Amino acid sequence: MTLSSLLLHPSLPLLPTKFTAQTNNNNRSKTLPTRFKSYSCLKSHSSCIAKSHKLSWLEELKQAFPSKLSNQNLTADNDGIDDESFQELADKRCVDNVRMLIVDSVQHAKAGHPGMALGMAEVGYVLYRHVMRYNPRNSTWFNRDRFVLSAGHGCLLQYVFLHIAGFQSVQLQDLQRLCKLGSRTPGHPENVVTDGIEVTTGPLGQGVANAVGLALAEAHLAARFNKPDAILVDHRTFCIMGDGCAMEGISHEAASLAAHWKLNKLTLIYDDNHNTIDGPTTFAFSEDISARFKALGWNTITVENIHNNINSFKDALHSAFSENEKPTFIRVKTLIGKLSGKEGTSKAHHGTFDEDDVKKMREKVNWSDKEPFHVLPMVYREMQIQTEHGERLEKEWYSKLNYYQSKYPEEAVEFKILLYGGLVPGWESSLPKWSASEPVDATRGYSEKCLNQLAKVLPGLIGGSADLATSTKAYLHDFKDFNQPSSPFGRNIRYGIREHAMAGISTGLALHGSGLIPFAATFLIFSDYMKNSIRLSALSKAGVLYIMTHDSIGLGEDGPTHQPVEQLAGLRAVPRLLVFRPADGNETAGAYKIAVANRDVPSLIALSRQKVAANLEGTSASGVERGGYIVSDNSGKDLPELLLIGTGSELCLCEGSAGMLRKEGRRVRVVSLVCWRLFDQQPKEYKESVLPPRVSKRVSVEAGSPMGWREYVGGQGMVIGVEDFGASGAYLDTFKKFGFTEENVTRIAKSMLCE
């Protein structure tokens, strides 16, 4: 089955035909700026700011900046100030308000990380007020700009801007509940908790990789769908990183790929404040970060004095937007904990301020007469100018989309599928089915067939491996590699030997919100490199497919450095993550069916290098849906005497041993426990029908750590696993050394039956 045949299905939804966000036209500004219009007007000194808007600021600016306005005759009839000077003062006052909200939030919560947020207030303000395209009334609008806070501890910066920009997810009450249980303002930003947060960040450097994934999605989709007369995909990705992010290896891996892929719409903003938790960065960090990024192939810019010249950052962004080939790295020199007595020191990183310090901060910005959590009405209006612009852009985008549908109907149908999640009706029927006569192959080989059949009907399936495409068999043969400028439409991604970045980038692809279904492949042993990113994908509800081959000591000759033992146990412990270890072609297809269908849950499919039957008698793709099921049982209406429970390539050992025991008249049931989490989620009645509580004689067989198996075999059962590291040798010799043979399984089973 191909995508074109599935597109004929009549139940596909139609695209929206009009912009549906509700707006109050009576409050709409008469002047709606284009991207960066306000700053463009400042540079040209043209009259572009409404007089009424300037007058609304008049008294506040006089009070806040008396030395700058004392000599000017400012009245309702004569505002007496040019647009550029006005906007500079308005921007500065907005930043003052932002800083006071940050201080108030930390003081009220008696917790939080104010340092970075205070230091980067100007950066956040310029992005949310003057640059980024977004609509708070429809935060998931497809063509919005994406913002990632890789330095997630500075989340107050983003929470404050979400509030003043009009996102309903962050009210003043939410700022007052910072870090409180159940609040919408947790201690690090979480996309599943707070509307307006694109990705969950916290572990440093992860957000950089996520941002690369978001930018990669934009470049890929733009190449596939944009037309000269209809540009549907045209947005930027902005990411703030800190010194800690710069030190973490994942940021280097991801930055290397971003430059190699020429992701010119990615802007990485480095908060260069020279401090980490323990003290100044000089303790452990002396490299020239700008030189490093320049060597990687980035356009690099330095902003020396943003606190006294906010326009210097605007200039840097203008320069970034003119770059057509390279991503841009903007190094912004800031003072951590700006305004406070801790300014410029690591003490400002986290924690509250004493009362005297708060009093002095208020005095510095003429805020002493304001109550905590006060927001100037003009600040809301200033931000509204940008959000109204976003609403207008979204409305224009939907009009363009309607034109696109009429002019390019075939491409529009595919784009429509992606916008609605990427799954076409009946996609499951594309998965291959195997008969008992099929030639034997490793489950990685059956995975290859599944992946390539799915690629024909799932337009969003995209991914690659960490330099192991030929070994993992994770390559889409009918599609090109992603490469700019030759084939950015390609759906195979060459990650090189960068497992950690691969996982983080895949999460970004999944959270782009465009129906992309990313897969990331490597050997199971190297999941250790990826663990933090895998965990975050589960926390973020990002439906990444992790394809992990060479799943046990059965990989043979490469030896214990490459033979996974404890990895399955650790991965099964990750909340929400679905870990599959299929035994044959049937179960491999079943695993893919569940993994693809679950778009808000990541899945990991552990696959063998050694060959197994394509259709082990009794297995089924549908059985995988319940995580565990009965493969065979000769007990009839009686209870079995023994349960043999296996996964992956060891399930055939269970079947072989069961055959020997049955010849001796024993009642034996074989159970496949292909996905523990799915089995655990089944009703109690079903679980007990598969693993009857009255049958205490049980043996589990899996060529990995025994940890976790006791829950299924019980106190009287036996666990056949790997207690030590593996060994280099031929696969069958290695299996024999560790007891993974039909004879050994049968011997252990007989000893139990004789008790």
Side-chain angles (χ1 to χ4, degrees):
M1 179 174 288
T2 63
L3 176 61
S4 58
S5 63
L6 290 174
L7 293 184
L8 299 176
H9 199 285
S11 65
L12 284 172
L14 296 175
L15 281 172
T17 57
K18 63 180 180 180
F19 176 67
T20 56
Q22 297 179 356
T23 58
N24 186 345
N25 292 325
N26 294 329
N27 295 329
R28 184 174 294 279
S29 170
K30 292 182 179 179
T31 51
L32 285 167
T34 58
R35 173 194 284 273
F36 242 17
K37 180 177 179 180
S38 55
Y39 188 47
S40 299
C41 292
L42 300 182
K43 296 189 75 168
S44 64
H45 301 286
S46 61
S47 178
C48 63
I49 301 177
K51 182 177 181 179
S52 60
H53 182 59
K54 293 166 73 173
L55 290 174
S56 70
W57 270 104
L58 190 59
E59 291 306 316
E60 180 63 32
L61 295 182
K62 280 183 178 181
Q63 179 183 347
F65 310 112
S67 62
K68 294 187 177 182
L69 297 178
S70 60
N71 296 326
Q72 302 200 37
N73 181 24
L74 303 179
T75 66
D77 296 324
N78 174 29
D79 58 55
I81 185 171
D82 64 86
D83 285 353
E84 182 173 359
S85 299
F86 162 77
Q87 191 63 58
E88 186 174 347
L89 292 177
D91 288 348
K92 183 172 177 57
R93 198 54 175 161
C94 288
V95 170
D96 290 342
N97 201 159
V98 166
R99 286 201 169 102
M100 289 300 98
L101 285 173
I102 291 166
V103 171
D104 292 340
S105 298
V106 170
Q107 295 301 102
H108 190 271
K110 296 181 172 55
H113 297 77
M116 177 268 191
L118 289 171
M120 290 290 279
E122 287 91 352
V123 168
Y125 176 76
V126 169
L127 291 176
Y128 275 91
R129 165 60 184 92
H130 292 293
V131 179
M132 292 198 302
R133 300 180 293 189
Y134 59 93
N135 179 7
R137 292 186 176 91
N138 183 16
S139 63
T140 59
W141 167 44
F142 170 79
N143 207 38
R144 69 192 182 278
D145 289 334
R146 270 69 168 178
F147 174 77
V148 177
L149 189 64
S150 185
H153 56 276
C155 56
L156 252 177
L157 182 75
Q158 192 168 13
Y159 295 153
V160 168
F161 283 110
L162 290 177
H163 169 67
I164 63 176
F167 284 81
Q168 294 301 304
S169 56
V170 183
Q171 303 296 308
L172 279 177
Q173 301 95 303
D174 297 299
L175 294 178
Q176 294 166 359
R177 298 194 68 234
L178 176 70
C179 300
K180 300 299 186 228
L181 185 65
S183 77
R184 294 187 291 188
T185 49
H188 289 83
E190 299 178 38
N191 66 305
V192 296
V193 172
T194 313
D195 187 37
I197 302 293
E198 298 285 355
V199 299
T200 296
T201 58
L204 297 177
Q206 294 288 336
V208 175
N210 298 158
V212 173
L214 293 169
L216 172 62
E218 194 276 343
H220 170 72
L221 294 171
R224 286 175 63 175
F225 294 105
N226 284 351
K227 304 293 183 182
D229 61 335
I231 306 297
L232 293 183
V233 187
D234 177 25
H235 50 266
R236 293 184 176 272
T237 302
F238 300 90
C239 176
I240 289 178
M241 63 176 278
D243 290 301
C245 298
M247 296 182 201
E248 291 286 358
I250 186 173
S251 66
H252 184 83
E253 291 182 18
S256 174
L257 283 167
H260 181 72
W261 290 334
K262 304 184 188 306
L263 300 179
N264 67 295
K265 289 186 180 178
L266 172 62
T267 303
L268 190 56
I269 304 162
Y270 172 38
D271 175 23
D272 184 16
N273 65 42
H274 297 289
N275 281 277
T276 56
I277 293 176
D278 280 351
T281 53
T282 52
F283 282 174
F285 201 49
S286 55
E287 64 198 66
D288 185 334
I289 300 300
S290 294
R292 184 217 291 183
F293 273 80
K294 185 175 182 179
L296 289 173
W298 286 62
N299 171 38
T300 59
I301 304 169
T302 298
V303 176
E304 295 284 352
N305 188 19
I306 191 172
H307 298 315
N308 294 317
N309 183 10
I310 195 171
N311 287 346
S312 63
F313 180 59
K314 296 178 182 179
D315 289 336
L317 290 171
H318 274 293
S319 177
F321 297 161
S322 66
E323 174 58 57
N324 294 320
E325 290 191 358
K326 300 176 181 179
T328 295
F329 176 81
I330 303 178
R331 179 184 183 182
V332 183
K333 296 184 178 181
T334 68
L335 289 169
I336 188 172
K338 175 66 176 171
L339 292 183
S340 76
K342 304 175 183 179
E343 180 182 293
T345 72
S346 62
K347 293 179 181 179
H349 177 271
H350 62 278
T352 59
F353 305 97
D354 61 49
E355 291 184 8
D356 185 58
D357 197 0
V358 173
K359 181 180 178 180
K360 289 179 179 178
M361 282 190 274
R362 286 176 163 268
E363 290 173 350
K364 287 178 183 177
V365 294
N366 292 314
W367 207 261
S368 299
D369 61 334
K370 308 289 195 301
E371 292 294 320
F373 294 99
H374 179 72
V375 181
L376 299 170
M378 296 77 73
V379 170
Y380 286 128
R381 179 63 194 124
E382 200 71 34
M383 300 301 294
Q384 189 181 356
I385 294 173
Q386 188 69 7
T387 59
E388 287 176 347
H389 172 47
E391 291 177 15
R392 183 174 70 91
L393 288 175
E394 182 180 2
K395 186 175 181 179
E396 292 173 356
W397 185 81
Y398 275 106
S399 297
K400 191 177 296 182
L401 185 57
N402 288 331
Y403 168 78
Y404 190 92
Q405 288 183 103
S406 62
K407 183 77 176 292
Y408 307 103
E410 186 174 342
E411 292 91 336
V413 170
E414 190 168 313
F415 189 65
K416 170 171 58 177
I417 292 169
L418 292 174
L419 282 186
Y420 283 92
L423 301 180
V424 297
W427 65 268
E428 306 96 328
S429 61
S430 69
L431 285 165
K433 299 175 179 60
W434 284 273
S435 66
S437 61
E438 295 274 351
V440 297
D441 199 350
T443 51
R444 62 172 174 167
Y446 302 132
S447 167
E448 178 182 30
K449 293 180 175 66
C450 291
L451 202 60
N452 277 275
Q453 288 299 109
L454 287 170
K456 296 176 182 178
V457 299
L458 297 177
L461 190 63
I462 181 173
S465 72
D467 196 50
L468 290 170
T470 55
S471 296
T472 60
K473 308 291 185 183
Y475 190 83
L476 307 181
H477 297 299
D478 293 335
F479 300 91
K480 292 184 176 294
D481 293 350
F482 174 87
N483 184 44
Q484 294 207 91
S486 61
S487 55
F489 50 83
R491 288 163 58 183
N492 289 293
I493 303 173
R494 300 284 190 176
Y495 287 106
I497 303 95
R498 302 183 186 91
E499 291 88 355
H500 202 177
M502 173 176 69
I505 289 169
S506 297
T507 295
L509 286 169
L511 294 178
H512 186 255
S514 54
L516 295 179
I517 303 174
F519 64 89
T522 188
F523 293 171
L524 181 58
I525 191 70
F526 299 138
S527 65
D528 287 350
Y529 286 131
M530 307 163 64
K531 187 67 176 295
N532 205 326
S533 294
I534 292 174
R535 184 179 187 273
L536 280 175
S537 69
L539 180 59
S540 305
K541 297 186 177 181
V544 180
L545 275 64
Y546 299 104
I547 302 170
M548 303 286 173
T549 67
H550 297 57
D551 68 346
S552 75
I553 60 171
L555 69 87
E557 290 81 359
D558 280 345
T561 61
H562 283 53
Q563 292 170 350
V565 174
E566 74 279 13
Q567 281 68 30
L568 282 172
L571 291 163
R572 284 168 175 155
V574 177
R576 301 178 186 162
L577 179 66
L578 297 179
V579 178
F580 299 89
R581 190 164 183 255
D584 63 358
N586 290 333
E587 289 194 346
T588 302
Y592 270 102
K593 180 181 177 182
I594 303 301
V596 170
N598 281 277
R599 290 296 75 232
D600 60 353
V601 177
S603 298
L604 186 148
I605 306 177
L607 302 159
S608 71
R609 180 196 184 198
Q610 68 273 26
K611 293 182 177 182
V612 293
N615 186 343
L616 185 64
E617 186 175 357
T619 62
S620 71
S622 61
V624 177
E625 297 177 13
R626 309 195 79 164
Y629 63 99
I630 299 169
V631 175
S632 66
D633 190 349
N634 67 330
S635 306
K637 295 182 179 180
D638 298 323
L639 283 174
E641 298 174 83
L642 175 74
L643 302 181
L644 294 176
I645 313 168
T647 72
S649 56
E650 293 80 76
L651 187 65
C652 66
L653 299 181
C654 294
E655 269 297 303
S657 177
M660 294 181 185
L661 294 168
R662 288 165 185 164
K663 289 178 180 178
E664 297 179 8
R666 295 294 190 175
R667 301 190 306 277
V668 182
R669 174 179 294 180
V670 175
V671 173
S672 172
L673 208 59
V674 59
C675 179
W676 292 12
R677 177 153 283 116
L678 287 179
F679 184 73
D680 292 344
Q681 293 171 356
Q682 300 307 307
K684 179 181 178 181
E685 294 75 18
Y686 176 77
K687 290 187 287 186
E688 292 185 350
S689 72
V690 176
L691 303 176
R694 291 168 56 194
V695 181
S696 61
K697 295 178 179 180
R698 306 178 180 188
V699 180
S700 68
V701 187
E702 183 175 70
S705 170
M707 289 186 66
W709 274 108
R710 187 59 58 186
E711 180 178 348
Y712 302 103
V713 302
Q716 299 180 51
M718 290 288 295
V719 178
I720 302 177
V722 182
E723 299 276 5
D724 200 349
F725 294 109
S728 179
Y731 133 63
L732 289 175
D733 293 338
T734 306
F735 256 32
K736 184 176 182 180
K737 172 182 171 64
F738 287 91
F740 292 97
T741 63
E742 290 181 9
E743 292 74 18
N744 189 53
V745 175
T746 304
R747 179 186 63 79
I748 293 173
K750 284 183 177 181
S751 68
M752 292 189 68
L753 290 169
C754 291
E755 291 178 358

